[in-house]
Structures are given as C-alpha cells and as structure tokens.
Amino acid sequence: QFQFETNVFRFRKQILFDILMPNLIWRVGRVASTIRKITMFALGTFLVKLTLMTTGKSNRFDWLLEEIAQIMPLLKSSLDDFEADTRMFTCQVLGFIFVLFQSQQDTCLDPTIFQDIYHPLVCRLDDAQDLVRIAACKAIEDLIRCTDKAALRGTALKYIVESCFVHLDDRDKNIQQAVYKVLETIIKADIDTPVVQAHAKKERTRHRSPELCDMLLNLK
C-alpha cells in the first residue's frame, strides 16, 4: 500500500496530463461520451486520493495549482457536455480545485481564470438536471471563497447575484437551499453585501415566499 501511494504521488503529473486529461477531450460518439464521464469521475477520485495521501505535508498541491491554466479549458468545455453525469462530476472537480486554493495560505485564483470560468459555471444553474444545478451551486460557493474580492466585484458579482435570485424561487426546495448558500457566502465574505440585499428587498414580494429573502436581509 505504501509503495502504491508513493508511486501514485511520484507519477501524479503523468497520471493527470498523460492519462486523464487526454480522455476528457471532446470526441463524437456515445463511446467517447462514456469515456469522458468515467474519466471525469476518475479525476475527482484521483484528486481526493492525493489529498488523503498528502495530509499534513506543506505545499502538497503547489504543482497542481501551478498547472491550473492547462486544466481549466477542458473542465470548462466539460461543463457543457451532453452527459448530465459528466457535467455534475465536472462541477465537483472544479469545486474541489477551488477548495485547494482556499487551503493554500495567501493564494487566490488567478483573476483571468475566474473571468473565464464563472459564467459557464453559473449557466449550469439552468441545467435540466437538478443534481447538476446543486453541484454547480456548491462549486460557485467555493469559487467565491478562493477568488480575490476585487475580481468578484462589479459585473461578475452582479451576474452571479441576479442569476441566483432567479433560482432562489425554484419549485424545488433543495435548489432553493443550494442557491441560498451561494448568496449567504457572498454576504459572509463581505464582498458586496448591499448588492445582495438590494436584490432581496426587490424580490421578496415577487417570490412564492419571502422567507429566504428575509433571511438574507437579516444576515450580517
């Protein structure tokens, strides 16, 4: 077991870039679609496994964070995959990567990467599958936490907040709660609370119930 884990960590870049990432490239056909789905699940498992193997080690994910620009284009394209499971697994992988940034002291996601990924990720709130929508909400939460406040403010934050308030009134309470957590994260991170609460005041009388809007208005 120890030798296996040592080899996995030793060859982590080869596993990621030579085995996993090439199989995420879009190709036509059901077989290719299934391969992408399985590979995205494997990528998530691989990252979790690495986390467990390297717990307690300093700078254990520096290598991955340094290569993030190479990984993001494939993850971005996978958000729009035909397979719902692939889209869900992609949201989970993105969320995991964003959590890694949070675990690195004084490390934020590159603003260029944020600008490139936030829009397609927020678009998953309109997904036909609720499990994808919930996974997207969790990923957006983690994206907000790992991004510098200056990069979030302005157009990006406005788009995220406006999209969230549309889905805060969803028929499914699980979706409502997932979206609420995104807005709660924005307020608690003290990014631009007035923007969120202004929308809450405006939407509370338009939603089926004002409860979640009122909860946002009472957050400090």
Side-chain angles (χ1 to χ4, degrees), residues 148-159:
D148 184 77
K149 291 180 181 180
L152 277 163
R153 292 190 178 105
T155 303
L157 185 68
K158 181 180 178 182
Y159 176 72

Side-chain angles (χ1 to χ4, degrees), residues 27-136:
R27 295 178 180 86
V28 69
R30 295 296 303 177
V31 173
S33 176
T34 300
I35 289 172
R36 288 195 303 276
K37 176 174 66 176
I38 294 171
T39 302
M40 190 63 73
F41 179 81
L43 175 57
T45 303
F46 172 66
L47 293 176
V48 170
K49 183 68 174 178
L50 279 180
T51 302
L52 296 174
M53 288 191 307
T54 57
T55 299
K57 294 182 180 179
S58 61
N59 304 322
R60 56 198 171 122
F61 283 109
D62 282 1
W63 66 275
L64 178 61
L65 301 185
E66 289 169 1
E67 304 287 352
I68 199 70
Q70 292 187 48
I71 301 170
M72 279 298 178
L74 279 176
L75 295 180
K76 178 183 176 182
S77 65
S78 296
L79 284 171
D80 200 33
D81 197 274
F82 174 78
E83 286 275 358
D85 283 346
T86 302
R87 300 194 300 273
M88 181 180 70
F89 294 150
T90 303
C91 290
Q92 292 170 348
V93 168
L94 283 167
F96 186 84
I97 291 173
F98 299 150
V99 169
L100 294 184
F101 273 94
Q102 297 172 49
S103 70
Q104 302 294 305
Q105 190 173 8
D106 300 323
T107 302
C108 290
L109 186 69
D110 186 308
T112 303
I113 294 176
F114 167 76
Q115 290 293 332
D116 196 45
I117 198 65
Y118 86 86
H119 188 277
L121 189 53
V122 173
C123 283
R124 285 304 99 212
L125 297 182
D126 289 314
D127 201 277
Q129 298 297 320
D130 285 348
L131 289 177
V132 178
R133 299 170 71 196
I134 290 171

